[in-house]
Amino acid sequence: MAGAIIENMSTKKLVIVGVTLLLFQAFAFMVGGLIAPSPTTAVHYLATKCVDTTKHRQETKWFMPWGPNQCDKIRTFDEAMAKKIEANNIVFAVHIPLPNKEMSPWFQFMLVILQFDIAFKMYNQIEDGALATIDVGLAYRDDTVSEWTEMAHSYEQRKLSCNFTTAKTFENEGRYYECDLLPFMEVGSVAHKYYLLNIRLPVNERKKVNVGIGEIKDIRLVSIHQNGGFTKVWFAMKTFLTPSILIIMIWYWRRITLMSRPPVLLEKVILALGISMTFINIPVEWFSVGFNWTWMLLFGDIRQGVFYSMLLSFWIIFCGEHLMDQTERNRFSVYWKQVGPIVFGSFCLFIFDMCERGVQLTNPFYSIWASDVGTELAMAFIIVAGICACLYFLFLCFMVFQVFRNISGKRTSLPAMSKARRLHYEGLIFRFKFLMLVTLTCAAMTVIFFIISQVRADYLGGNWLHDMRKICDSAVEYRDTGGNSGEDIQLTTTITHVDGPTEIYKMTGKEAQE
């Protein structure tokens, strides 16, 4: 391989570049750890049961859970049965955000997860493979006096996966199933201040709609959005780093063009990697603050896909160009067998992302995980991607091993050289080995980052359920024991009265049961 500029740079300049990059990285970590707040916030909501008294629903009517135009409410379904209110006339209403708060474009996205509170009844148990049919509408407005504007409406199905941990006997009636979380909604832009969800569970025994789903008591939602403070720090970092990367790229390519020879393949790939890095760092998110760009999540995924594809290709070409096996290289076509699978895998992930977030551009309630076929397809994509990543990393390790073996073979000819020539080649060999180890370290860190990001996503979706379930189990246990223990129980949940949300606190004895 013709000497690339990274090999021809003096050790002093290379050390300066490396130390500068490390300082930038340390600075970014310090900003993230000391200045930036937590990336996301999860807010819990308990849906209010509203009564739809209209007989003919020709126009869309929105039901507010609180405020001056709040709906007619019921507390329990027993109250609905006493008043002869049918299930089809009950609307679960959720206002996002909580009272006296506003949503902001700085939140960037809004992910909503749903959980049913289902009580066990001997004669109304959850059937195997039960599907809950949900008639859901989403509306928005930007002040507290204007009318609601419909944003989306859909009929969705979610498969229930619930377990009853105790014996199914009459004595245990009223205890709750432990149900898995259900993906519910994802919006790629938070352009409005207030959002309203109206959820219906239509019942049609003839068509087997919402039959065999148990006795649903309540609907709980958790809304996850990016923190505004984190968004501002993130935007500031991207705005600062993008010009820095551009300056480095211009300086680098200027050095290449000043050389007497044409650029080699590795130098071209480094430039392409810098361009992809610039593409992912350009702070176009600033425009999402002023415009309702719901496609920003999909665009972000595409940018990440382009960057990681280029990064994986760079590692392969970087190792291949340093094999020193006397094979004619310095041509991109030589690596088509290695780069081709990377491009194919990235294209498969792009198709998978389009099946999820592409559809959500028109229907935010769609989820590929909601159906068995979609779940199997999604898992197949993820498993194939994981297998390809492992095979890629093993192949990269093999290439680095070949580089080290070839370099060790070249060292046998060093003693016959002059001292100055020998020192020059020993420096090159040391630099080769160092860059190979850095390459493997970067690849390993990329895999670790992917795993941590997946664990983080699972934590955001599941940790709140664990906390809520402990509170609910404590309340149920206290109720079942009749409050004989004499201990006060603290329930911090939200109910709706005429004058707005209040808190239940320190309920004891008979009052707690009621």
Side-chain angles (χ1 to χ4, degrees):
M1 182 197 75
I5 191 172
I6 197 169
E7 283 86 26
N8 294 331
M9 287 179 61
S10 66
T11 302
K12 179 180 178 181
K13 292 181 179 178
L14 192 61
V15 170
I16 292 175
V17 172
V19 171
T20 303
L21 292 177
L22 287 176
L23 289 177
F24 268 116
Q25 189 170 9
F27 172 75
F29 276 114
M30 292 180 64
V31 170
L34 301 177
I35 300 177
S38 176
T40 56
T41 294
V43 183
H44 308 151
Y45 299 92
L46 177 63
T48 300
K49 304 178 191 67
C50 295
V51 179
D52 185 5
T53 57
T54 58
K55 296 183 178 180
H56 303 285
R57 295 197 295 265
Q58 297 180 352
E59 296 183 359
T60 303
K61 181 181 179 181
W62 298 100
F63 296 86
M64 267 288 291
W66 44 265
N69 297 320
Q70 60 185 281
C71 62
D72 297 329
K73 295 179 289 293
I74 57 173
R75 293 182 180 274
T76 63
F77 285 97
D78 293 334
E79 181 181 346
M81 294 179 62
K83 295 181 179 180
K84 297 182 179 181
I85 300 174
E86 297 182 358
N88 291 327
N89 292 329
I90 296 177
V91 180
F92 294 87
V94 176
H95 185 279
I96 301 176
L98 295 172
N100 302 321
K101 296 183 180 296
E102 295 180 356
M103 301 298 284
S104 169
W106 293 103
F107 294 164
Q108 291 294 287
F109 68 89
M110 181 168 56
L111 173 66
V112 180
I113 301 171
L114 179 144
Q115 185 204 7
F116 290 113
D117 284 352
I118 304 178
F120 169 73
K121 292 292 183 180
M122 285 294 295
Y123 299 111
N124 188 13
Q125 299 186 30
I126 299 178
E127 299 177 356
D128 294 336
L131 288 175
T133 302
I134 305 172
D135 177 7
V136 56
L138 174 65
Y140 68 87
R141 66 183 181 184
D142 292 311
D143 55 67
T144 58
V145 295
S146 62
E147 296 294 330
W148 291 98
T149 302
E150 182 177 297
M151 183 175 175
H153 185 270
S154 179
Y155 288 88
E156 299 293 331
Q157 286 187 331
R158 297 292 187 265
K159 185 177 180 180
L160 299 181
S161 179
C162 302
N163 294 318
F164 194 66
T165 56
T166 58
K168 293 183 177 180
T169 60
F170 285 100
E171 290 77 12
N172 291 323
E173 282 192 343
R175 291 183 176 270
Y176 286 88
Y177 287 89
E178 292 186 0
C179 297
D180 291 344
L181 296 168
L182 300 175
F184 186 60
M185 184 184 74
E186 185 171 14
V187 179
S189 175
V190 188
H192 305 285
K193 295 181 179 180
Y194 308 105
Y195 292 87
L196 180 65
L197 282 167
N198 279 183
I199 304 170
R200 299 174 185 267
L201 299 176
V203 178
N204 190 323
E205 295 184 2
R206 184 175 59 85
K207 296 182 179 180
K208 301 298 182 181
V209 177
N210 286 332
V211 175
I213 61 174
E215 185 173 330
I216 296 178
K217 294 293 188 179
D218 284 301
I219 293 180
R220 300 181 185 273
L221 301 177
V222 58
S223 171
I224 303 172
H225 62 262
Q226 189 166 290
N227 281 332
F230 175 84
T231 303
K232 294 176 182 178
V233 175
W234 179 42
F235 285 8
M237 291 289 294
K238 297 185 73 170
T239 304
F240 171 75
L241 289 176
T242 299
S244 304
I245 297 174
L246 283 173
I247 293 173
I248 294 173
M249 283 177 52
I250 294 172
W251 169 83
Y252 168 78
W253 194 245
R254 181 175 176 274
R255 287 289 306 272
I256 297 294
T257 55
L258 290 176
M259 300 180 71
S260 58
R261 59 168 176 79
V264 298
L265 175 62
L266 184 57
E267 293 166 345
K268 295 177 181 178
V269 173
I270 291 176
L271 178 65
L273 182 62
I275 293 174
S276 66
M277 188 181 301
T278 305
F279 178 59
I280 195 176
N281 282 325
I282 291 178
V284 295
E285 290 85 359
W286 283 110
F287 294 99
S288 65
V289 178
F291 299 93
N292 187 16
W293 287 357
T294 57
W295 43 267
M296 283 303 298
L297 289 177
L298 178 61
F299 182 64
D301 290 344
I302 293 174
R303 291 198 296 177
Q304 289 188 20
V306 171
F307 171 73
Y308 283 116
S309 298
M310 194 64 245
L311 182 62
L312 297 178
S313 302
F314 165 74
W315 285 335
I316 291 293
I317 295 173
F318 181 80
C319 294
E321 291 295 288
H322 287 84
L323 280 176
M324 296 185 297
D325 52 3
Q326 306 302 324
T327 302
E328 177 61 28
R329 297 184 181 273
N330 198 29
R331 290 183 293 111
F332 187 76
S333 57
V334 175
Y335 299 94
W336 70 270
K337 291 182 180 180
Q338 294 85 2
V339 177
I342 296 175
V343 176
F344 176 75
S346 301
F347 179 75
C348 291
L349 292 177
F350 170 74
I351 296 299
F352 167 73
D353 208 38
M354 288 298 296
C355 293
E356 174 79 6
R357 285 182 169 163
V359 178
Q360 286 175 349
L361 296 179
T362 56
N363 180 15
F365 302 103
Y366 173 81
S367 175
I368 195 172
W369 303 93
S371 62
D372 292 336
V373 176
T375 300
E376 293 176 359
L377 182 63
M379 290 301 299
F381 272 113
I382 294 174
I383 292 173
V384 170
I387 293 175
C388 291
C390 294
L391 293 177
Y392 170 85
F393 186 74
L394 292 176
F395 179 73
L396 187 65
C397 292
F398 175 72
M399 291 190 69
V400 173
F401 170 76
Q402 284 184 310
V403 172
F404 278 22
R405 185 182 61 182
N406 291 345
I407 289 177
S408 298
K410 300 294 182 181
R411 293 180 66 93
T412 58
S413 60
L414 291 180
M417 299 181 181
S418 62
K419 183 178 181 180
R421 188 177 179 86
R422 185 175 69 252
L423 292 175
H424 172 71
Y425 278 100
E426 285 180 349
L428 286 179
I429 290 173
F430 172 77
R431 196 171 294 182
F432 284 172
K433 289 185 176 181
F434 176 75
L435 292 176
M436 290 299 105
L437 293 176
V438 170
T439 299
L440 277 183
T441 302
C442 291
M445 292 297 291
T446 301
V447 174
I448 293 172
F449 171 78
F450 175 78
I451 295 174
I452 291 177
S453 63
Q454 296 303 310
V455 173
R456 173 68 175 170
D458 293 341
Y459 172 81
L460 290 175
N463 190 60
W464 71 274
L465 176 61
H466 176 70
D467 297 336
M468 290 297 295
R469 186 169 291 159
K470 288 195 299 182
I471 295 175
C472 292
D473 291 345
S474 299
V476 172
E477 182 179 357
Y478 183 87
R479 179 195 60 196
D480 293 339
T481 57
N484 295 326
S485 61
E487 298 178 355
D488 291 349
I489 183 170
Q490 180 90 13
L491 295 181
T492 308
T493 185
T494 304
I495 62 173
T496 304
H497 291 298
V498 176
D499 54 351
T502 59
E503 288 186 348
I504 306 173
Y505 59 96
K506 290 187 178 179
M507 300 192 308
T508 60
K510 184 178 179 181
E511 293 179 355
Q513 298 178 52
E514 293 175 352

